[in-house]
Amino acid sequence: MDFAQVVLNTVRKVPKGKITTYKLLAKACNKPKASRSVGRALNKNKCSFFENIAKNKMIPCHRVIYSNGRIGGFSKGVEKKIVLLEKEGVLVQNGRVLEFSERLYEFKD
DNA sequence: AGTAAGGCGGGCA
DNA sequence: GTGCCCGCCTTAC
């Protein structure tokens, strides 16, 4: 299993209405320092929700944000992710997730 | 409080 | 195999 695949599989575990961070994702993959690669892995897999839905992959990359509660750069479509987050019940304002810590989903196994 | 620089880790040319 | 790229994180100012 490739690291990227592990990451994708992990992101898929995030329930609707919840979010996570790259750091937690990296930690969940047993690579706590690979937070950067995590983001790259998602981008590599072209995690443009629609495309994933079409492929039945459903990788909610928009649920993955920074550790400081800010939205990442994503694929130049941050605002679109914000809309999706709001549709899932996650309020976002000024590029930040409201009650981010409470909505944070740690992969506590 | 916000901003700057450094460092670590995998993917890809 | 080497080097550069990045959707990051953390520490320092």
Side-chain angles (χ1 to χ4, degrees):
Chain A
M1 182 76 85
D2 294 302
F3 171 71
Q5 289 299 321
V6 177
V7 175
L8 296 177
N9 185 43
T10 307
V11 178
R12 257 192 332 208
K13 294 187 214 165
V14 180
K16 179 181 174 187
K18 286 267 197 171
I19 55 180
T20 189
T21 70
Y22 294 100
K23 185 178 180 179
L24 291 177
L25 268 174
K27 187 158 60 71
C29 296
N30 294 306
K31 296 184 189 266
K33 292 304 186 72
S35 48
R36 300 183 84 175
S37 305
V38 171
R40 263 207 73 76
L42 292 170
N43 189 6
K44 173 178 72 85
N45 284 265
K46 316 245 183 353
C47 65
S48 307
F49 7 90
F50 347 97
E51 298 186 17
N52 279 289
I53 294 171
K55 295 184 177 68
N56 227 16
K57 292 277 187 178
M58 285 183 64
I59 307 298
C61 63
H62 56 275
R63 286 182 202 156
V64 187
I65 60 179
Y66 279 180
S67 301
N68 62 329
R70 283 238 186 197
I71 307 291
F74 294 107
S75 40
K76 299 155 191 162
V78 187
E79 301 179 23
K80 303 199 320 186
K81 275 85 176 181
I82 294 175
V83 176
L84 293 195
L85 284 171
E86 292 182 332
K87 288 172 67 173
E88 298 201 339
V90 180
L91 274 299
V92 182
Q93 206 162 84
N94 295 330
R96 285 184 300 263
V97 177
L98 303 184
E99 299 179 340
F100 141 81
S101 301
E102 302 177 25
R103 300 180 181 280
L104 233 187
Y105 175 78
E106 300 185 50
F107 305 93
K108 52 181 173 146
D109 303 336

